[in-house]
Amino acid sequence: MGHGVLVTGATGTVGRHLVGRLLAHGVRVRALCRDPERAAALLPDGVEIARGDLTDSTALESALRGVDAAFVLLADDAGQAFARAAHHTAGLHQLVALSADAPQGPGFDNPLFVKHVQGEARLRATALPLTVLRPGPFASLALQWAPALAAGDVVGAVHPDLAVPVIDPRDIADVAAAVLLGPAPSGVRILPLSGPQALDVHARVRVLGEVLDRRLKVARIAEQQWVRLATERLPETYARQLMDVERYLIERQLPVVASVREITGSAPRSFRTWAQDHMAAFSAPDRAPSFEEAS
Ligand SMILES: NC(=O)c1ccc[n+]([C@@H]2O[C@H](COP(=O)([O-])OP(=O)(O)OC[C@H]3O[C@@H](n4cnc5c(N)ncnc54)[C@H](OP(=O)(O)O)[C@@H]3O)[C@@H](O)[C@H]2O)c1
């Protein structure tokens, strides 16, 4: 079998772009999917589909057979099943992991932090060449504003002044593709990734309004209200964990870093570019209440 890559999360925010990049370079792509029928409808022709869950090491072992690299998403088991499967798979030459900037130690028991810290450690322990991508918040998080913007002109935010260098998921896919298409690295490489500029919610909503040609506003809302609204689409525990991540990001002040340009040779896409390419997502009618209506 020739060069082949197992892409986990292939139907997801980063994975779907990575699949396209790899196919375009003639790489054999196998996608690990929990729902093969749904995945087949979403993924381009030419992708092999392997049924499996990221927490099932037996399914992973079989999905890894015959590929020489893998793009690894960390699931709730923090890479445990993947690491076990990788130990039992001959022929794997490198892993590229989608992780995040996460704190560790006392007081940082948020599962969203723990899965990244433990997941990275487990993948390191496989002793395979490993590239860890640590992007900041995705530009696509703005999609969570779509229901409010279908119902009105106001985005509700708990921390509207929190500035983060949001990254376009396509840039993360470009970095992953460049690493997977390049020579297999040795050892472990950690790559913090960022967009070109730190933008708070006011700035991102202003850009989105300009792109959509609408006068949009931001309202500061209480955490309790945000959690109540978020639970229309997320489990409450997860919504609370996300607020905890925002508090961490306020302290952390993620820097803008040069790694996207260094690895891909191109500047990272701006939030304006992301917004221009996703305008359609903000025009679909939606019956969800706006933050004002729900208050
Ligand atoms: N969102 C951010 O701002 C952000 C920031 C920094 C880092 N990250 C990292 O990026 C990752 C992906 O981010 P996202 O929030 O945009 O998610 P996403 O890519 O939409 O994640 C869902 C994808 O993962 C697959 N998946 C999830 N659980 C799985 C499981 N147990 N077994 C097999 N496949 C599974 C889904 O497959 P199905 O088609 O089967 O559902 C889907 O393809 C996060 O987990 C995090 O590690 C995210």
Side-chain angles (χ1 to χ4, degrees), residues 192-294:
L193 301 175
S194 80
Q197 187 187 12
L199 297 171
D200 65 13
V201 177
H202 297 286
R204 277 177 278 155
V205 168
R206 190 164 51 244
V207 169
L208 189 57
E210 286 164 9
V211 167
L212 298 174
D213 197 20
R214 289 173 59 184
R215 289 174 69 84
L216 305 180
K217 285 180 268 176
V218 178
R220 187 187 293 272
I221 60 174
E223 178 164 337
Q224 205 43 41
Q225 187 187 354
W226 185 87
V227 169
R228 185 155 42 83
L229 286 166
T231 48
E232 288 168 13
R233 59 194 163 84
L234 304 170
E236 183 179 339
T237 338
Y238 184 65
R240 291 192 186 285
Q241 289 165 4
L242 289 177
M243 280 297 107
D244 200 28
V245 171
E246 287 203 0
R247 274 187 287 277
Y248 165 67
L249 290 171
I250 290 169
E251 294 297 314
R252 174 74 173 90
Q253 297 194 14
L254 279 177
V256 171
V257 289
S259 37
V260 170
R261 186 190 285 278
E262 283 166 5
I263 304 287
T264 68
S266 302
R269 295 165 174 88
S270 65
F271 181 72
R272 184 175 297 277
T273 298
W274 180 89
Q276 284 165 340
D277 294 342
H278 294 82
M279 282 172 68
F282 296 93
S283 56
D286 194 299
R287 304 231 176 280
S290 70
F291 283 105
E292 282 184 332
E293 284 168 339

Side-chain angles (χ1 to χ4, degrees), residues 9 11-13 34 38 53-54 73 98-99 115-116 135-136 138:
T11 54
T13 320
R34 291 181 289 189
R38 179 174 161 271
D53 193 291
L54 270 164
L73 226 79
L98 179 54
S99 187
K115 93 165 174 178
H116 293 111
F138 295 177

Side-chain angles (χ1 to χ4, degrees), residues 8-16 32-35 38-39 42 52-56 73-76 98-101 112 115-116 133-141 167 169 172 238:
T8 65
T11 54
T13 320
V14 174
R16 80 177 82 132
L32 181 88
C33 303
R34 291 181 289 189
D35 180 345
R38 179 174 161 271
L42 291 172
D53 193 291
L54 270 164
T55 59
D56 175 351
L73 226 79
L74 296 168
D76 292 344
L98 179 54
S99 187
D101 182 296
L112 293 179
K115 93 165 174 178
H116 293 111
L133 310 182
R134 286 189 186 160
F138 295 177
S140 50
L141 289 176
I167 181 164
I172 306 173
Y238 184 65

Side-chain angles (χ1 to χ4, degrees), residues 19-235:
V19 164
R21 310 279 192 274
L22 295 175
L23 285 178
H25 281 82
V27 174
R28 191 166 55 85
V29 178
R30 185 178 295 160
L32 181 88
C33 303
R34 291 181 289 189
D35 180 345
E37 263 181 41
R38 179 174 161 271
L42 291 172
L43 294 172
D45 290 342
V47 176
E48 288 173 31
I49 293 182
R51 181 195 293 272
D53 193 291
L54 270 164
T55 59
D56 175 351
S57 60
T58 310
L60 282 166
E61 264 185 60
S62 126
L64 284 169
R65 214 164 288 137
V67 298
D68 52 16
F71 176 73
V72 190
L73 226 79
L74 296 168
D76 292 344
D77 76 338
Q80 194 165 18
F82 191 95
R84 191 177 308 138
H87 273 303
H88 292 108
T89 307
L92 262 181
H93 295 318
Q94 73 158 319
L95 305 177
V96 175
L98 179 54
S99 187
D101 182 296
Q104 56 182 309
F108 296 117
D109 56 356
N110 180 334
L112 293 179
F113 298 145
V114 172
K115 93 165 174 178
H116 293 111
V117 172
Q118 287 188 353
E120 287 186 16
R122 288 191 172 116
L123 296 181
R124 256 175 207 270
T126 64
L128 287 164
L130 169 67
T131 304
V132 176
L133 310 182
R134 286 189 186 160
F138 295 177
S140 50
L141 289 176
L143 292 172
Q144 72 189 352
W145 303 333
L149 294 183
D153 293 323
V154 183
V155 165
V158 181
H159 304 111
D161 305 320
L162 167 60
V164 279
V166 288
I167 181 164
D168 191 315
R170 293 172 295 186
D171 287 321
I172 306 173
D174 287 344
V175 169
V179 173
L180 288 162
L181 293 165
S186 55
V188 178
R189 184 165 49 155
I190 307 285
L191 287 178
L193 301 175
S194 80
Q197 187 187 12
L199 297 171
D200 65 13
V201 177
H202 297 286
R204 277 177 278 155
V205 168
R206 190 164 51 244
V207 169
L208 189 57
E210 286 164 9
V211 167
L212 298 174
D213 197 20
R214 289 173 59 184
R215 289 174 69 84
L216 305 180
K217 285 180 268 176
V218 178
R220 187 187 293 272
I221 60 174
E223 178 164 337
Q224 205 43 41
Q225 187 187 354
W226 185 87
V227 169
R228 185 155 42 83
L229 286 166
T231 48
E232 288 168 13
R233 59 194 163 84
L234 304 170

